[in-house]
Amino acid sequence: MPVVETSNLQKSFGDHRVLDGVDISVAEGTVFALLGPNGAGKTTVVNILSTLVRADGGSASVAGHDVAREPVAVRAAISVTGQFSAVDALLTGRENLTMMARLSRVPRHEIGAVVEKALARFDLVDAADRRSGSYSGGMARRLDIAISMLAMPRVLFLDEPTTGLDPRSRQGVWEFVRELVGEGVTVFLTTQYLEEADRLADRIALLDGGRIVADDAPAALKRLVGSDIVEATFADGRVACYPTDGSLDDIKRTILGLEDATHVTVRNPSLDDVFLTLTGKSPKQVTGKVAA
Amino acid sequence: MSAYALTDSSVMIGRSLRHTTRNFDSLFIGIFLPVMLLLLMTTVFGGAVSGTAGDYVTYVVPGVLLLCAGYGASMTAMSVTTDMKEGIVDRFRTMNVLPSAVLTGHVVASVARNLVSVGIVIATAYAIGFRAAAGPLGWLAAIGLIVLLIFAMSWASAAFGLVAKTPEGASSFGFFLLFLPYLSSAFVPIDTLPGWLQPIATAQPFTPLNESIRGLLLGNPIGNSGWAAVAWCLGILVVSGFTASALWRRTRR
């Protein structure tokens, strides 16, 4: 039985239809990645599943409980690390953890030990007594995830957990996610980084225009776009990708057709290409929009 | 969930109290502003209003106490609006935390902060010549009334803070509470006001509050103003409390 399941999920804000029939199914103990560009509605899905926002239509359940009818049971089974840092900037790391441990119903006499363990595990011992407002992005995110893990949830929602982090901190978050899955936690991840979904997820769903346009294992999604891809860079800096059928003839023909290209590479299809194929939007445009 | 109501409330009160002591603005406004107001009222305006600054101290101290209590309580609106913008409040909502606990934390911290301000104003007043004629009971009643006012106005501010979109917008509630006491008997006798303003001044809550506290501190009879003041505060408290709770449940992204 899936631990997270939605059926025909609908949500509009005013005239803007954000979700237009989203169906998701996540198996227990796996990592599920919801992938999509900015504004695709990823956070809205997480907000509905974590009882923050009510859906306009359709149904959603987490850990066997309907999110609209049994929000208390759902909240008891989940932890959420939102897109924006959800730590108290005026409190120290230790105070944040102690507060959240009490609110997470950790038995009083265990709180001290639980907090120390969390500080050690997420490499925050040296910063424990500094205000979290002074933390770097990576440290704040570690504290954020440490808080989410205090009460050992069945489902952990990570909404864009590495957005704005440097590459090293990103690696760190990825390692934590793998460890948590090893402990049996189901991770529901949203990301706009294709690489992140590829590295972590057992299953990836692409959200575009309020619908799931693809839902499969990373390898299967890559197969969708076919075989080798010719990527050409032009004199004006433009980059374009040309799918081939993988045969030498087709690759040759493709390259010979690119007369004004300054640089050409042949590579395996990436999730970027999946995205391009399925949504008709260039993932370069997508990343460009994010950077702007 | 109710088994954790006390835990949740006390955790949130602890959180808001820590915020207060670590927030320079709130400390400054809580301590410096009331003292400056009192000194301004007495040394600058005192001579003009009452002939000698000394007499005016006795007249004006209850009003300054109300001004500080009301304005100090209004800071709750800003702290609530600021808090609502933080990711942490959404995180609380995804946990089984007592819904009213966050607001309770803000309100109780406001009461504590403003009681310190009130204490500082009273100490300063004594330093510049104020003497109360009240016995322990009179003091107790006066302080009780001030606590009730802070409590009611903090809940009203919390409700306003949930409606306001920005902390700047939320701070406008403070101007309302800063000016309302001037249109009461706090700083000048009502019969010196223009005729059309007198009914407004008589009908608003700060007049019975001021009459009660002045009477209690100076040992004069207070008539019905004590009950009127309590009724005003309880009314504001109940309406604001329910409004704030309803707004809290509704205020979701």
Side-chain angles (χ1 to χ4, degrees):
Chain A
M1 192 187 146
V3 69
V4 177
E5 194 165 31
T6 75
S7 166
N8 194 28
L9 212 54
Q10 311 268 348
K11 181 73 190 177
S12 300
F13 292 109
D15 290 339
H16 181 46
R17 177 160 289 198
V18 181
L19 303 180
D20 188 15
V22 170
D23 300 299
I24 287 172
S25 176
V26 182
E28 181 124 42
T30 62
V31 180
F32 175 87
L34 187 60
L35 183 64
N38 258 355
K42 303 185 296 289
T43 299
T44 305
V45 173
V46 171
N47 283 349
I48 291 172
L49 291 174
S50 60
T51 77
L52 272 176
V53 166
R54 264 178 190 271
D56 298 337
S59 64
S61 72
V62 175
H65 302 284
D66 186 275
V67 293
R69 285 196 301 273
E70 305 163 272
V72 174
V74 170
R75 288 182 202 128
I78 63 169
S79 272
V80 186
T81 295
Q83 190 173 350
F84 302 102
S85 177
V87 299
D88 193 318
L90 286 174
L91 301 186
T92 67
R94 181 177 274 117
E95 286 168 343
N96 264 294
L97 285 163
T98 306
M99 171 173 79
M100 289 302 184
R102 288 186 69 189
L103 296 177
S104 305
R105 319 306 180 208
V106 175
R108 194 116 199 206
H109 60 276
E110 293 174 18
I111 287 178
V114 165
V115 168
E116 292 314 314
K117 216 174 99 189
L119 286 170
R121 174 171 185 187
F122 289 90
D123 196 18
L124 290 166
V125 174
D126 293 337
D129 295 311
R130 264 168 50 202
R131 287 189 200 176
S132 66
S134 70
Y135 284 13
S136 69
M139 287 163 75
R141 190 43 51 148
R142 291 209 298 276
L143 178 58
D144 226 335
I145 297 175
I147 288 169
S148 287
M149 293 313 298
L150 282 168
M152 200 58 186
R154 244 180 101 186
V155 182
L156 173 64
F157 291 94
L158 294 173
D159 192 7
E160 304 204 4
T162 63
T163 299
L165 293 190
D166 59 75
R168 217 180 110 234
S169 304
R170 183 171 298 170
Q171 291 282 353
V173 171
W174 289 350
E175 275 163 37
F176 288 131
V177 171
R178 290 197 192 97
E179 274 178 42
L180 300 179
V181 175
E183 293 167 28
V185 178
T186 305
V187 176
F188 188 110
L189 171 84
T190 79
T191 182
Q192 47 185 334
Y193 300 121
L194 306 155
E195 184 196 3
E196 184 162 282
D198 193 15
R199 293 246 185 137
L200 290 176
D202 300 299
R203 201 173 178 87
I204 299 175
L206 259 72
L207 185 63
D208 188 65
R211 289 173 165 277
I212 301 291
V213 294
D215 180 359
D216 218 326
L221 280 180
K222 285 192 202 168
R223 275 199 299 276
L224 274 178
V225 279
S227 201
D228 295 331
I229 286 188
V230 172
E231 187 177 296
T233 310
F234 296 93
D236 58 3
R238 191 165 50 89
V239 179
C241 298
Y242 301 90
T244 71
D245 62 10
S247 70
L248 187 58
D249 274 351
D250 197 28
I251 294 173
K252 267 197 219 160
R253 200 165 32 242
T254 307
I255 294 175
L256 289 173
L258 302 167
E259 283 174 353
D260 45 352
T262 55
H263 183 76
V264 168
T265 47
V266 179
R267 57 169 175 76
N268 290 324
S270 69
L271 276 165
D272 290 41
D273 305 309
V274 178
F275 209 91
L276 180 65
T277 307
L278 289 167
T279 68
K281 267 184 243 158
S282 161
K284 302 288 186 225
Q285 281 169 8
V286 172
T287 19
K289 201 167 101 192
V290 171
Chain B
M1 195 154 83
S2 58
Y4 296 103
L6 267 180
T7 306
D8 292 350
S9 301
S10 74
V11 167
M12 294 302 174
I13 290 167
R15 168 174 181 260
S16 290
L17 283 174
R18 284 200 172 96
H19 283 189
T20 298
T21 56
R22 290 170 195 187
N23 186 331
F24 179 76
D25 291 354
S26 77
L27 274 185
F28 180 81
I29 288 170
I31 292 168
F32 197 65
L33 190 77
V35 171
M36 290 314 287
L37 260 172
L38 180 63
L39 295 178
L40 185 77
M41 285 297 165
T42 51
T43 53
V44 178
F45 298 137
V49 175
S50 159
T52 63
D55 293 344
Y56 194 57
V57 171
T58 310
Y59 184 82
V60 87
V61 163
V64 174
L65 286 173
L66 289 178
L67 193 67
C68 293
Y71 185 64
S74 80
M75 296 286 132
T76 312
M78 281 154 77
S79 61
V80 167
T81 307
T82 308
D83 217 11
M84 295 304 289
K85 292 179 125 34
E86 302 288 329
I88 197 162
V89 168
D90 274 340
R91 168 168 259 161
F92 292 147
R93 288 183 194 279
T94 65
M95 304 165 76
N96 283 320
V97 173
L98 182 74
S100 63
V102 173
L103 293 180
T104 303
H106 282 282
V107 167
V108 172
S110 165
V111 172
R113 184 179 72 235
N114 288 301
L115 268 181
V116 172
S117 303
V118 163
I120 291 169
V121 170
I122 292 172
T124 312
Y126 265 81
I128 59 173
F130 174 77
R131 292 295 174 264
L137 270 182
W139 270 109
L140 204 65
I143 298 291
L145 210 48
I146 290 173
V147 171
L148 191 60
L149 169 72
I150 299 172
F151 206 53
M153 288 305 176
S154 297
W155 271 112
S157 306
F160 190 81
L162 288 173
V163 180
K165 297 235 165 7
T166 61
E168 291 78 14
S171 72
S172 64
F173 197 67
F175 290 108
F176 176 68
L177 285 177
L178 195 58
F179 283 107
L180 210 51
Y182 287 100
L183 307 179
S184 76
S185 62
F187 299 103
V188 291
I190 286 187
D191 55 25
T192 65
L193 295 173
W196 59 270
L197 195 55
Q198 290 186 16
I200 299 171
T202 314
Q204 65 120 320
F206 278 96
T207 294
L209 272 162
N210 180 65
E211 290 305 310
S212 316
I213 287 168
R214 183 180 286 147
L216 287 166
L217 290 186
L218 302 184
N220 300 328
I222 60 170
N224 287 328
S225 61
W227 297 117
V230 170
W232 265 111
C233 289
L234 288 180
I236 294 170
L237 184 61
V238 170
V239 172
S240 310
F242 278 112
T243 309
S245 304
L247 285 170
W248 175 266
R249 279 192 294 273
R250 237 193 44 196
T251 313
R252 295 190 161 184
R253 285 183 302 171

